Amino acid sequence: MQSNTTLVGIVMGSDSDLPVMQAAAEFLKQLGIGFELTIVSAHRTPQRLMDYASTAKQRGIKVVIAGAGGAAHLPGMIASVTTLPVIGVPIKSSNSIDGWDSVLSILQMPNGVPVATVALNAAKNAGILAAQIIGLQDDAVSAQLYSYKAQLQDEVLGKVEKLKGSWNNGFDA
Ligand code: RP5
């Protein structure tokens, strides 16, 4: 699919999150999935957060990817406003102690308000997960995801072959 329709909303708390978050955008671009990317700060622009989250669904967005660091309230607050699936990306930012603060702020949501939390700085996985959600109703996207998984497998099997030459440990499966 090469879509001009914007299906995924990527938001981040600050432009300082962009070096991490661009991996999500790159994956969606690779698959031809339309997305928008902008800054929405839970603490510095709370009204903008409310406006974004409350209008995203009616604007045609199917899934939101939200990345933030430190006291990372952006994904959870978006999830509190919209019924769209929200994928949270914890970011090790300048105000993070070691990244655990970002992870736990996004992961430990209360019952009733889930955020699908990926690993620290794992924006590419957020892009993949968003594509998988879009792929539920788009066969072309789904086919590309199968190819991507096959490529991952081929890469590992290539490494297996490479290792065989130098380290023969008897595992020949
Ligand atoms: C968070 O604070 C942002 O998501 C970012 O990860 C962090 C630092 O923001 P800046 O001070 O760089 O703007 O809200």
Side-chain angles (χ1 to χ4, degrees), residues 4-68:
N4 291 327
T5 312
T6 302
L7 298 176
V8 180
I10 303 176
V11 291
M12 61 201 86
S14 168
D15 60 346
S16 63
D17 298 323
L18 185 58
V20 169
M21 293 302 290
Q22 66 187 18
E26 282 160 9
F27 189 82
L28 295 173
K29 195 173 175 187
Q30 194 182 316
L31 266 59
I33 297 173
F35 64 89
E36 62 184 19
L37 183 150
T38 190
I39 299 166
V40 178
S41 169
H43 304 116
R44 294 166 177 157
T45 64
Q47 190 55 54
R48 179 170 164 75
L49 181 153
M50 295 304 287
D51 292 345
Y52 185 91
S54 61
T55 61
K57 194 171 186 179
Q58 70 201 43
R59 289 189 299 105
I61 299 289
K62 303 295 183 200
V63 51
V64 176
I65 298 173

Short mmCIF file of all heavy atoms in Angstrom, two decimals, residues 4-68:
data_model
loop_
_atom_site.label_atom_id
_atom_site.label_comp_id
_atom_site.label_asym_id
_atom_site.label_seq_id
_atom_site.Cartn_x
_atom_site.Cartn_y
_atom_site.Cartn_z
N ASN A 4 -1.84 7.87 0.91
CA ASN A 4 -1.77 9.29 1.24
C ASN A 4 -2.61 9.57 2.47
O ASN A 4 -2.59 10.67 3.01
CB ASN A 4 -2.27 10.14 0.07
CG ASN A 4 -1.31 10.08 -1.10
OD1 ASN A 4 -0.10 9.97 -0.87
ND2 ASN A 4 -1.82 10.10 -2.30
N THR A 5 -3.38 8.56 2.90
CA THR A 5 -4.21 8.72 4.08
C THR A 5 -3.35 8.62 5.33
O THR A 5 -2.50 7.73 5.44
CB THR A 5 -5.28 7.59 4.11
OG1 THR A 5 -5.88 7.52 2.84
CG2 THR A 5 -6.32 7.87 5.17
N THR A 6 -3.57 9.51 6.26
CA THR A 6 -2.81 9.48 7.50
C THR A 6 -3.47 8.52 8.47
O THR A 6 -4.57 8.77 8.96
CB THR A 6 -2.76 10.89 8.12
OG1 THR A 6 -2.16 11.77 7.17
CG2 THR A 6 -1.93 10.91 9.39
N LEU A 7 -2.79 7.40 8.73
CA LEU A 7 -3.37 6.34 9.56
C LEU A 7 -2.73 6.25 10.94
O LEU A 7 -3.33 5.73 11.88
CB LEU A 7 -3.22 4.98 8.85
CG LEU A 7 -3.94 4.84 7.50
CD1 LEU A 7 -3.62 3.49 6.87
CD2 LEU A 7 -5.45 5.01 7.69
N VAL A 8 -1.51 6.72 11.05
CA VAL A 8 -0.78 6.62 12.32
C VAL A 8 -0.36 8.02 12.78
O VAL A 8 0.18 8.80 12.00
CB VAL A 8 0.48 5.73 12.17
CG1 VAL A 8 1.22 5.62 13.51
CG2 VAL A 8 0.09 4.34 11.67
N GLY A 9 -0.62 8.29 14.03
CA GLY A 9 -0.17 9.55 14.62
C GLY A 9 1.05 9.29 15.49
O GLY A 9 0.97 8.51 16.44
N ILE A 10 2.16 9.91 15.15
CA ILE A 10 3.37 9.79 15.98
C ILE A 10 3.54 11.12 16.72
O ILE A 10 3.65 12.17 16.09
CB ILE A 10 4.62 9.52 15.13
CG1 ILE A 10 4.46 8.26 14.28
CG2 ILE A 10 5.86 9.41 16.02
CD1 ILE A 10 5.64 7.99 13.33
N VAL A 11 3.54 11.03 18.04
CA VAL A 11 3.73 12.25 18.83
C VAL A 11 4.85 12.01 19.83
O VAL A 11 5.11 10.88 20.26
CB VAL A 11 2.44 12.66 19.58
CG1 VAL A 11 1.38 13.14 18.60
CG2 VAL A 11 1.90 11.53 20.44
N MET A 12 5.52 13.11 20.18
CA MET A 12 6.62 13.00 21.15
C MET A 12 6.61 14.25 22.02
O MET A 12 6.11 15.30 21.60
CB MET A 12 7.96 12.85 20.42
CG MET A 12 8.32 14.01 19.54
SD MET A 12 9.52 13.53 18.28
CE MET A 12 8.41 12.93 17.03
N GLY A 13 7.16 14.09 23.22
CA GLY A 13 7.10 15.18 24.18
C GLY A 13 7.96 16.37 23.85
O GLY A 13 7.69 17.48 24.30
N SER A 14 9.00 16.15 23.04
CA SER A 14 9.96 17.22 22.76
C SER A 14 10.68 16.90 21.47
O SER A 14 10.78 15.72 21.07
CB SER A 14 10.96 17.31 23.91
OG SER A 14 12.05 18.15 23.56
N ASP A 15 11.24 17.93 20.85
CA ASP A 15 12.06 17.67 19.65
C ASP A 15 13.31 16.87 20.02
O ASP A 15 13.91 16.23 19.15
CB ASP A 15 12.42 18.97 18.92
CG ASP A 15 13.21 19.93 19.78
OD1 ASP A 15 13.27 19.74 21.02
OD2 ASP A 15 13.77 20.90 19.22
N SER A 16 13.69 16.89 21.29
CA SER A 16 14.86 16.09 21.71
C SER A 16 14.57 14.59 21.64
O SER A 16 15.49 13.77 21.71
CB SER A 16 15.31 16.48 23.13
OG SER A 16 14.30 16.19 24.08
N ASP A 17 13.28 14.22 21.49
CA ASP A 17 12.92 12.80 21.35
C ASP A 17 13.03 12.32 19.90
O ASP A 17 12.96 11.11 19.64
CB ASP A 17 11.47 12.56 21.81
CG ASP A 17 11.26 12.89 23.29
OD1 ASP A 17 12.18 12.61 24.08
OD2 ASP A 17 10.18 13.41 23.62
N LEU A 18 13.16 13.25 18.98
CA LEU A 18 13.11 12.90 17.55
C LEU A 18 14.17 11.89 17.11
O LEU A 18 13.85 10.97 16.34
CB LEU A 18 13.18 14.17 16.69
CG LEU A 18 13.00 13.95 15.18
CD1 LEU A 18 11.67 13.27 14.86
CD2 LEU A 18 13.11 15.28 14.44
N PRO A 19 15.42 12.02 17.56
CA PRO A 19 16.42 11.03 17.13
C PRO A 19 16.00 9.59 17.42
O PRO A 19 16.36 8.67 16.68
CB PRO A 19 17.67 11.42 17.92
CG PRO A 19 17.50 12.88 18.17
CD PRO A 19 16.02 13.07 18.40
N VAL A 20 15.25 9.38 18.51
CA VAL A 20 14.73 8.03 18.81
C VAL A 20 13.47 7.77 18.00
O VAL A 20 13.34 6.73 17.33
CB VAL A 20 14.43 7.89 20.32
CG1 VAL A 20 13.65 6.60 20.60
CG2 VAL A 20 15.72 7.90 21.13
N MET A 21 12.55 8.71 18.00
CA MET A 21 11.23 8.45 17.43
C MET A 21 11.21 8.33 15.91
O MET A 21 10.30 7.74 15.33
CB MET A 21 10.26 9.56 17.88
CG MET A 21 9.96 9.54 19.37
SD MET A 21 9.26 7.97 19.91
CE MET A 21 7.63 8.06 19.16
N GLN A 22 12.24 8.86 15.26
CA GLN A 22 12.23 8.81 13.79
C GLN A 22 12.29 7.37 13.27
O GLN A 22 11.88 7.10 12.14
CB GLN A 22 13.33 9.67 13.21
CG GLN A 22 14.73 9.22 13.49
CD GLN A 22 15.75 10.27 13.01
OE1 GLN A 22 15.42 11.43 12.78
NE2 GLN A 22 16.99 9.84 12.85
N ALA A 23 12.75 6.43 14.11
CA ALA A 23 12.79 5.03 13.67
C ALA A 23 11.38 4.50 13.40
O ALA A 23 11.19 3.66 12.50
CB ALA A 23 13.50 4.17 14.71
N ALA A 24 10.41 4.97 14.16
CA ALA A 24 9.02 4.55 13.91
C ALA A 24 8.55 5.10 12.57
O ALA A 24 7.94 4.39 11.77
CB ALA A 24 8.11 5.04 15.04
N ALA A 25 8.86 6.36 12.34
CA ALA A 25 8.45 7.01 11.08
C ALA A 25 9.10 6.32 9.89
O ALA A 25 8.45 6.08 8.87
CB ALA A 25 8.82 8.49 11.12
N GLU A 26 10.38 5.98 10.04
CA GLU A 26 11.10 5.34 8.92
C GLU A 26 10.49 3.99 8.56
O GLU A 26 10.35 3.65 7.38
CB GLU A 26 12.59 5.18 9.28
CG GLU A 26 13.35 6.49 9.14
CD GLU A 26 14.66 6.50 9.93
OE1 GLU A 26 15.05 5.43 10.44
OE2 GLU A 26 15.26 7.58 10.03
N PHE A 27 10.08 3.22 9.58
CA PHE A 27 9.49 1.91 9.28
C PHE A 27 8.15 2.07 8.57
O PHE A 27 7.86 1.37 7.59
CB PHE A 27 9.32 1.07 10.55
CG PHE A 27 8.93 -0.35 10.24
CD1 PHE A 27 9.88 -1.30 9.89
CD2 PHE A 27 7.59 -0.75 10.27
CE1 PHE A 27 9.52 -2.61 9.57
CE2 PHE A 27 7.22 -2.05 9.96
CZ PHE A 27 8.19 -2.99 9.61
N LEU A 28 7.34 3.00 9.05
CA LEU A 28 6.03 3.22 8.41
C LEU A 28 6.21 3.71 6.97
O LEU A 28 5.49 3.29 6.06
CB LEU A 28 5.22 4.23 9.23
CG LEU A 28 4.83 3.76 10.63
CD1 LEU A 28 4.18 4.90 11.41
CD2 LEU A 28 3.88 2.57 10.57
N LYS A 29 7.20 4.57 6.78
CA LYS A 29 7.48 5.09 5.44
C LYS A 29 7.88 3.95 4.50
O LYS A 29 7.43 3.86 3.36
CB LYS A 29 8.59 6.13 5.53
CG LYS A 29 8.73 6.99 4.31
CD LYS A 29 9.74 8.10 4.56
CE LYS A 29 9.96 8.89 3.27
NZ LYS A 29 11.03 9.87 3.41
N GLN A 30 8.72 3.07 5.03
CA GLN A 30 9.19 1.90 4.27
C GLN A 30 8.01 1.05 3.76
O GLN A 30 8.04 0.52 2.67
CB GLN A 30 10.06 1.07 5.20
CG GLN A 30 10.91 -0.01 4.59
CD GLN A 30 11.67 -0.76 5.70
OE1 GLN A 30 12.21 -0.15 6.61
NE2 GLN A 30 11.69 -2.07 5.64
N LEU A 31 6.96 0.97 4.59
CA LEU A 31 5.79 0.16 4.22
C LEU A 31 4.71 0.97 3.49
O LEU A 31 3.67 0.44 3.13
CB LEU A 31 5.18 -0.49 5.47
CG LEU A 31 5.67 -1.93 5.77
CD1 LEU A 31 7.18 -1.96 5.96
CD2 LEU A 31 4.97 -2.49 6.99
N GLY A 32 4.97 2.25 3.31
CA GLY A 32 4.00 3.09 2.60
C GLY A 32 2.76 3.42 3.41
O GLY A 32 1.70 3.68 2.85
N ILE A 33 2.90 3.40 4.73
CA ILE A 33 1.76 3.73 5.60
C ILE A 33 1.80 5.22 5.93
O ILE A 33 2.82 5.72 6.44
CB ILE A 33 1.81 2.88 6.89
CG1 ILE A 33 1.68 1.39 6.56
CG2 ILE A 33 0.72 3.32 7.86
CD1 ILE A 33 1.89 0.47 7.75
N GLY A 34 0.70 5.89 5.66
CA GLY A 34 0.65 7.33 5.92
C GLY A 34 0.67 7.64 7.41
O GLY A 34 -0.02 7.01 8.19
N PHE A 35 1.48 8.62 7.78
CA PHE A 35 1.56 9.00 9.20
C PHE A 35 1.75 10.50 9.32
O PHE A 35 2.14 11.18 8.36
CB PHE A 35 2.73 8.26 9.88
CG PHE A 35 4.08 8.62 9.34
CD1 PHE A 35 4.81 9.69 9.86
CD2 PHE A 35 4.63 7.91 8.28
CE1 PHE A 35 6.05 10.03 9.35
CE2 PHE A 35 5.87 8.24 7.76
CZ PHE A 35 6.58 9.30 8.30
N GLU A 36 1.50 11.00 10.51
CA GLU A 36 1.84 12.38 10.85
C GLU A 36 2.78 12.33 12.04
O GLU A 36 2.78 11.35 12.80
CB GLU A 36 0.57 13.18 11.19
CG GLU A 36 -0.18 12.65 12.41
CD GLU A 36 -1.48 13.38 12.67
OE1 GLU A 36 -2.00 14.04 11.74
OE2 GLU A 36 -1.98 13.28 13.80
N LEU A 37 3.60 13.34 12.17
CA LEU A 37 4.58 13.34 13.26
C LEU A 37 4.64 14.75 13.83
O LEU A 37 4.82 15.72 13.08
CB LEU A 37 5.94 12.91 12.69
CG LEU A 37 7.13 12.78 13.64
CD1 LEU A 37 8.08 11.69 13.13
CD2 LEU A 37 7.89 14.09 13.76
N THR A 38 4.45 14.85 15.16
CA THR A 38 4.47 16.18 15.74
C THR A 38 4.86 16.12 17.23
O THR A 38 5.05 15.05 17.79
CB THR A 38 3.09 16.88 15.56
OG1 THR A 38 3.22 18.25 15.93
CG2 THR A 38 2.01 16.22 16.40
N ILE A 39 5.01 17.29 17.81
CA ILE A 39 5.35 17.39 19.24
C ILE A 39 4.09 17.74 20.03
O ILE A 39 3.37 18.67 19.67
CB ILE A 39 6.42 18.48 19.47
CG1 ILE A 39 7.70 18.13 18.71
CG2 ILE A 39 6.69 18.67 20.96
CD1 ILE A 39 8.68 19.29 18.59
N VAL A 40 3.83 16.95 21.05
CA VAL A 40 2.74 17.23 21.98
C VAL A 40 3.30 16.96 23.38
O VAL A 40 3.69 15.84 23.69
CB VAL A 40 1.52 16.30 21.74
CG1 VAL A 40 0.43 16.58 22.76
CG2 VAL A 40 0.99 16.43 20.33
N SER A 41 3.38 17.98 24.20
CA SER A 41 3.94 17.79 25.53
C SER A 41 2.83 17.73 26.58
O SER A 41 2.01 18.66 26.68
CB SER A 41 4.89 18.95 25.86
OG SER A 41 5.24 18.91 27.23
N ALA A 42 2.82 16.64 27.33
CA ALA A 42 1.78 16.48 28.35
C ALA A 42 1.85 17.60 29.39
O ALA A 42 0.82 18.06 29.90
CB ALA A 42 1.93 15.12 29.04
N HIS A 43 3.05 18.04 29.71
CA HIS A 43 3.22 19.01 30.79
C HIS A 43 3.30 20.45 30.31
O HIS A 43 2.84 21.37 30.99
CB HIS A 43 4.50 18.67 31.59
CG HIS A 43 4.50 17.26 32.11
ND1 HIS A 43 5.41 16.31 31.71
CD2 HIS A 43 3.67 16.63 32.97
CE1 HIS A 43 5.16 15.17 32.32
NE2 HIS A 43 4.09 15.32 33.08
N ARG A 44 3.88 20.63 29.11
CA ARG A 44 4.08 22.00 28.63
C ARG A 44 2.95 22.49 27.74
O ARG A 44 2.72 23.69 27.61
CB ARG A 44 5.41 22.09 27.87
CG ARG A 44 6.63 21.86 28.76
CD ARG A 44 7.87 21.60 27.92
NE ARG A 44 9.07 21.44 28.73
CZ ARG A 44 10.16 20.79 28.32
NH1 ARG A 44 10.20 20.27 27.10
NH2 ARG A 44 11.20 20.67 29.10
N THR A 45 2.23 21.54 27.10
CA THR A 45 1.09 21.91 26.24
C THR A 45 -0.10 21.00 26.53
O THR A 45 -0.55 20.25 25.67
CB THR A 45 1.45 21.81 24.73
OG1 THR A 45 1.75 20.43 24.41
CG2 THR A 45 2.64 22.67 24.35
N PRO A 46 -0.63 21.04 27.77
CA PRO A 46 -1.71 20.11 28.12
C PRO A 46 -2.96 20.27 27.26
O PRO A 46 -3.62 19.28 26.94
CB PRO A 46 -1.98 20.43 29.60
CG PRO A 46 -1.39 21.78 29.83
CD PRO A 46 -0.24 21.91 28.89
N GLN A 47 -3.29 21.49 26.88
CA GLN A 47 -4.50 21.68 26.05
C GLN A 47 -4.30 21.09 24.67
O GLN A 47 -5.22 20.50 24.09
CB GLN A 47 -4.86 23.17 25.97
CG GLN A 47 -6.22 23.43 25.32
CD GLN A 47 -7.36 22.66 26.02
OE1 GLN A 47 -7.51 22.77 27.24
NE2 GLN A 47 -8.12 21.87 25.25
N ARG A 48 -3.05 21.23 24.15
CA ARG A 48 -2.74 20.63 22.84
C ARG A 48 -2.88 19.12 22.90
O ARG A 48 -3.35 18.48 21.98
CB ARG A 48 -1.32 21.04 22.42
CG ARG A 48 -0.86 20.49 21.10
CD ARG A 48 0.45 21.16 20.67
NE ARG A 48 1.14 20.42 19.62
CZ ARG A 48 0.78 20.39 18.34
NH1 ARG A 48 -0.29 21.08 17.95
NH2 ARG A 48 1.45 19.71 17.44
N LEU A 49 -2.46 18.53 24.02
CA LEU A 49 -2.63 17.08 24.20
C LEU A 49 -4.10 16.71 24.15
O LEU A 49 -4.50 15.77 23.44
CB LEU A 49 -2.02 16.65 25.54
CG LEU A 49 -2.08 15.14 25.86
CD1 LEU A 49 -0.95 14.77 26.79
CD2 LEU A 49 -3.40 14.71 26.47
N MET A 50 -4.93 17.44 24.88
CA MET A 50 -6.36 17.13 24.90
C MET A 50 -6.96 17.28 23.50
O MET A 50 -7.75 16.44 23.06
CB MET A 50 -7.09 18.06 25.89
CG MET A 50 -6.70 17.87 27.34
SD MET A 50 -6.90 16.18 27.93
CE MET A 50 -8.68 16.09 28.04
N ASP A 51 -6.57 18.33 22.81
CA ASP A 51 -7.10 18.56 21.46
C ASP A 51 -6.66 17.44 20.52
O ASP A 51 -7.47 16.92 19.73
CB ASP A 51 -6.61 19.91 20.91
CG ASP A 51 -7.20 21.09 21.66
OD1 ASP A 51 -8.19 20.89 22.40
OD2 ASP A 51 -6.66 22.20 21.53
N TYR A 52 -5.39 17.07 20.60
CA TYR A 52 -4.86 16.03 19.70
C TYR A 52 -5.58 14.70 19.96
O TYR A 52 -6.08 14.05 19.03
CB TYR A 52 -3.35 15.85 19.90
CG TYR A 52 -2.76 14.88 18.90
CD1 TYR A 52 -2.27 15.33 17.67
CD2 TYR A 52 -2.75 13.51 19.15
CE1 TYR A 52 -1.78 14.44 16.72
CE2 TYR A 52 -2.27 12.62 18.21
CZ TYR A 52 -1.78 13.09 17.00
OH TYR A 52 -1.31 12.20 16.07
N ALA A 53 -5.62 14.31 21.21
CA ALA A 53 -6.18 12.99 21.55
C ALA A 53 -7.69 12.93 21.28
O ALA A 53 -8.20 11.89 20.88
CB ALA A 53 -5.88 12.66 23.01
N SER A 54 -8.37 14.03 21.52
CA SER A 54 -9.84 13.98 21.37
C SER A 54 -10.28 14.08 19.91
O SER A 54 -11.43 13.78 19.60
CB SER A 54 -10.50 15.08 22.21
OG SER A 54 -10.06 16.34 21.78
N THR A 55 -9.38 14.48 19.01
CA THR A 55 -9.78 14.60 17.59
C THR A 55 -9.11 13.55 16.70
O THR A 55 -9.46 13.43 15.53
CB THR A 55 -9.42 16.00 17.03
OG1 THR A 55 -7.99 16.17 17.12
CG2 THR A 55 -10.13 17.10 17.79
N ALA A 56 -8.16 12.80 17.25
CA ALA A 56 -7.37 11.88 16.41
C ALA A 56 -8.26 10.87 15.68
O ALA A 56 -8.11 10.65 14.48
CB ALA A 56 -6.33 11.15 17.27
N LYS A 57 -9.19 10.26 16.38
CA LYS A 57 -10.03 9.22 15.77
C LYS A 57 -10.90 9.81 14.66
O LYS A 57 -10.98 9.23 13.57
CB LYS A 57 -10.89 8.56 16.84
CG LYS A 57 -11.54 7.28 16.38
CD LYS A 57 -12.21 6.53 17.52
CE LYS A 57 -12.72 5.19 17.05
NZ LYS A 57 -13.35 4.44 18.16
N GLN A 58 -11.51 10.93 14.91
CA GLN A 58 -12.39 11.51 13.89
C GLN A 58 -11.60 12.01 12.69
O GLN A 58 -12.13 12.15 11.59
CB GLN A 58 -13.28 12.61 14.47
CG GLN A 58 -12.58 13.89 14.85
CD GLN A 58 -13.39 14.70 15.87
OE1 GLN A 58 -13.94 14.17 16.84
NE2 GLN A 58 -13.43 16.00 15.66
N ARG A 59 -10.30 12.23 12.87
CA ARG A 59 -9.45 12.63 11.74
C ARG A 59 -8.96 11.43 10.93
O ARG A 59 -8.23 11.57 9.97
CB ARG A 59 -8.26 13.45 12.24
CG ARG A 59 -8.65 14.84 12.73
CD ARG A 59 -7.47 15.75 13.02
NE ARG A 59 -6.58 15.24 14.05
CZ ARG A 59 -5.40 14.71 13.84
NH1 ARG A 59 -4.94 14.59 12.61
NH2 ARG A 59 -4.66 14.26 14.83
N GLY A 60 -9.33 10.22 11.37
CA GLY A 60 -8.98 9.03 10.59
C GLY A 60 -7.77 8.26 11.08
O GLY A 60 -7.39 7.24 10.51
N ILE A 61 -7.15 8.75 12.16
CA ILE A 61 -6.01 8.04 12.75
C ILE A 61 -6.51 6.71 13.32
O ILE A 61 -7.57 6.64 13.95
CB ILE A 61 -5.37 8.89 13.88
CG1 ILE A 61 -4.85 10.23 13.34
CG2 ILE A 61 -4.28 8.12 14.61
CD1 ILE A 61 -3.65 10.14 12.48
N LYS A 62 -5.72 5.63 13.10
CA LYS A 62 -6.11 4.30 13.59
C LYS A 62 -5.31 3.87 14.82
O LYS A 62 -5.74 3.02 15.60
CB LYS A 62 -5.92 3.25 12.49
CG LYS A 62 -6.68 3.54 11.22
CD LYS A 62 -8.17 3.49 11.44
CE LYS A 62 -8.93 3.72 10.14
NZ LYS A 62 -10.31 4.15 10.37
N VAL A 63 -4.12 4.41 14.95
CA VAL A 63 -3.27 4.05 16.08
C VAL A 63 -2.31 5.21 16.36
O VAL A 63 -1.87 5.90 15.44
CB VAL A 63 -2.51 2.73 15.81
CG1 VAL A 63 -1.81 2.75 14.48
CG2 VAL A 63 -1.53 2.38 16.91
N VAL A 64 -2.06 5.42 17.65
CA VAL A 64 -1.15 6.51 18.05
C VAL A 64 0.12 5.91 18.64
O VAL A 64 0.06 4.99 19.46
CB VAL A 64 -1.81 7.43 19.11
CG1 VAL A 64 -0.82 8.49 19.61
CG2 VAL A 64 -3.06 8.10 18.55
N ILE A 65 1.26 6.42 18.20
CA ILE A 65 2.54 6.08 18.82
C ILE A 65 2.99 7.32 19.58
O ILE A 65 3.09 8.41 19.00
CB ILE A 65 3.60 5.73 17.75
CG1 ILE A 65 3.19 4.50 16.95
CG2 ILE A 65 4.96 5.51 18.41
CD1 ILE A 65 4.12 4.20 15.77
N ALA A 66 3.22 7.17 20.88
CA ALA A 66 3.59 8.32 21.70
C ALA A 66 4.88 8.03 22.45
O ALA A 66 4.98 7.04 23.17
CB ALA A 66 2.46 8.66 22.68
N GLY A 67 5.87 8.89 22.28
CA GLY A 67 7.15 8.70 22.94
C GLY A 67 7.46 9.85 23.88
O GLY A 67 7.18 11.02 23.57
N ALA A 68 8.01 9.52 25.04
CA ALA A 68 8.39 10.56 25.99
C ALA A 68 9.41 9.99 26.97
O ALA A 68 9.56 8.78 27.11
CB ALA A 68 7.15 11.08 26.74
#
